Amino acid sequence: MVVQRSVSQPVKEVWRLLVTPTGAEALLGEGGSLGDKGDSWRSNDGTYGVVRSYHPLEQIRFSWHAEPDAPKSLVDLHLVEQSEDSTVVEIRHEHIPGGWDVDAITQHWESALERIAAAS
């Protein structure tokens, strides 16, 4: 599952937002915060995971669990410079277990992209 959105900000500014509490919550949900590779995160809605890859100005990859007993899936966020003042934010959610509502997950990440764009 892949969703993307163009944001009218340079990559540097989008990244700067994502590493703030406001940007991390826009991506992960209220209470979510991003750390370095190996750091855990947890949102107030019960979703949680671990940062698996962290490349400033380019990419963040993290595991994502919908609830304590749910199998992990992986979320990969990429920033791609579209122009000096425009960035494509792409979220790729991989290894989604069978039986999960892919439409609901797609809407979840679309909403995250809306929050990121609004905060930029």
Side-chain angles (χ1 to χ4, degrees):
M1 187 275 334
V2 178
V3 294
Q4 62 183 15
R5 168 87 38 105
S6 181
V7 177
S8 297
Q9 292 289 331
V11 167
K12 188 181 200 179
E13 293 304 316
V14 176
W15 182 264
R16 187 174 296 158
L17 169 69
L18 288 171
V19 297
T20 67
T22 299
E25 285 190 348
L27 175 63
L28 301 172
E30 187 176 325
S33 64
L34 288 168
D36 289 326
K37 183 177 178 179
D39 289 347
S40 297
W41 64 272
R42 178 173 297 278
S43 295
N44 295 349
D45 67 3
T47 56
Y48 69 97
V50 175
V51 176
R52 297 291 179 201
S53 180
Y54 187 91
H55 298 280
L57 303 174
E58 294 176 16
Q59 182 243 16
I60 302 168
R61 185 178 182 120
F62 52 91
S63 62
W64 189 81
H65 302 262
E67 53 193 38
D69 294 331
K72 78 174 179 182
S73 56
L74 293 173
V75 177
D76 206 355
L77 179 139
H78 283 271
L79 301 180
V80 179
E81 182 178 68
Q82 199 168 24
S83 70
E84 269 187 30
D85 296 323
S86 182
T87 302
V88 173
V89 181
E90 179 183 276
I91 297 174
R92 181 178 299 269
H93 195 148
E94 303 170 334
H95 308 294
I96 297 171
W100 281 18
D101 184 346
V102 176
D103 291 337
I105 293 170
T106 301
Q107 183 55 52
H108 173 83
W109 295 119
E110 287 282 357
S111 295
L113 288 177
E114 288 173 21
R115 292 188 299 271
I116 291 167
S120 294

